[in-house]
Amino acid sequence: MAGLSLRDRFFTPPVARATTSPAAILAVGAGAALGVVAGAGLLGAVVLGAVGWAARVVVAIPRAPRDARIDPFTLAEPWRHFVTDALQAQVRFHEAVEGARDGPMRDRLREIRARVDTGVQEVWRIARQGHDLVDARRRVDPDAIRREIEATEANANQPWATGSTLQRTMESLKAQLATAERIERVIADADGRLRLLNARLDEAAARTIELSVQAHDVADLGGLGADVDQMVDEMEALRQAIEETGGGTAVTGSG
């Protein structure tokens, strides 16, 4: 439900089921009974019954996930900057859409705006993952692992090493080093690609400002819509790639 407004979350199957559920009906009855007992009369019973029903429906509204609450100040740089920049582009985009002429043009711009909102959510999620990966990297010392590998290799030809745990130790160390190097590559890739995608988001916002004034037909927005869709698709792909890599970032000690 990331990116869904309160209105969008209201018109969902859970809420629809709640409006006619037994619990909602019981809530109406309980509210009405309370009104009668309190001496509020028929009108008061009806009002309290409606309040009980509404309370049951409100409880059924899906909550926005934690991911949806964007707070760039929980992140270190450069990830904070990426999120802040994306939010600023989102504001410009929204202002341009609402400033467009009413009708099919604005309707289409609002559809594109929804994709931009999804893209900003993706920037937030990618930035959080990048922040976490940097934190994970700080707990790994590739140079220390390399020194330990060299020391282990120096003992590989010793007579006492035959049949010992030396081989398993070497395998563990190499796995740790591979993980550390993979984290480094993912961080660098996420940084570079997020910079590019943010620049494209800024460009889309600027084009939207121009098109909201100059475009005369929905067809004029075709290029903008396609570019935004491609940009958001790339953001989603980047986020998924980081998730796949981030799932194996734990580095174990040598055995």
Side-chain angles (χ1 to χ4, degrees):
M1 299 258 176
L4 292 182
S5 66
L6 176 61
R7 179 183 180 278
D8 293 332
R9 286 183 281 121
F10 182 83
F11 292 105
T12 53
V15 177
R17 290 192 295 269
T19 58
T20 57
S21 68
I25 295 171
L26 286 173
V28 172
L34 181 61
V36 171
V37 171
L42 179 60
L43 179 59
V46 171
V47 170
L48 287 174
V51 169
W53 175 86
R56 175 64 188 88
V57 172
V58 167
V59 170
I61 297 176
R63 296 179 180 175
R66 291 182 63 189
D67 249 7
R69 294 190 287 273
I70 298 176
D71 184 2
F73 295 101
T74 61
L75 306 177
E77 295 292 358
W79 315 106
R80 179 187 302 174
H81 171 75
F82 293 148
V83 176
T84 301
D85 188 60
L87 288 172
Q88 291 172 347
Q90 183 184 38
V91 169
R92 294 196 300 274
F93 202 100
H94 278 234
E95 290 174 346
V97 171
E98 294 309 312
R101 290 184 295 273
D102 199 11
M105 283 277 297
R106 185 188 285 181
D107 292 341
R108 176 55 183 144
L109 281 171
R110 283 174 173 166
E111 292 175 359
I112 299 173
R113 180 182 66 185
R115 288 291 284 162
V116 169
D117 292 345
T118 299
V120 173
Q121 283 290 335
E122 291 296 336
V123 170
W124 164 238
R125 296 172 70 180
I126 293 166
R128 286 179 59 193
Q129 291 167 333
H131 173 93
D132 290 344
L133 282 172
V134 170
D135 186 58
R137 181 185 61 185
R138 292 194 185 101
R139 298 194 296 270
V140 180
D141 186 350
D143 291 336
I145 296 173
R146 292 188 183 97
R147 287 193 295 271
E148 195 166 350
I149 287 175
E150 290 176 0
T152 304
E153 287 177 335
N155 292 319
N157 296 323
Q158 297 297 323
W160 55 264
T162 304
S164 71
T165 60
L166 196 65
Q167 183 176 355
R168 293 198 300 274
T169 299
M170 182 65 74
E171 290 172 354
S172 176
L173 290 169
K174 288 182 177 179
Q176 292 178 53
L177 182 59
T179 297
E181 291 174 343
R182 185 169 63 251
I183 293 174
E184 290 280 0
R185 289 194 300 270
V186 173
I187 290 172
D189 185 51
D191 184 298
R193 291 174 66 183
L194 206 50
R195 288 180 190 277
L196 174 60
L197 290 168
N198 259 19
R200 290 171 61 186
L201 187 60
D202 288 335
E203 179 187 359
R207 287 174 61 192
T208 303
I209 294 171
E210 179 183 11
L211 289 170
S212 67
V213 177
Q214 296 183 355
H216 300 288
D217 188 85
V218 174
D220 296 334
L221 304 176
L224 174 64
D227 288 347
V228 169
D229 279 339
Q230 181 183 19
M231 176 181 61
V232 175
D233 288 344
E234 290 179 19
M235 289 177 176
E236 291 173 341
L238 174 58
R239 187 253 306 161
Q240 291 168 1
I242 296 174
E243 285 177 351
E244 291 173 1
T245 303
T249 55
V251 180
T252 59
S254 60

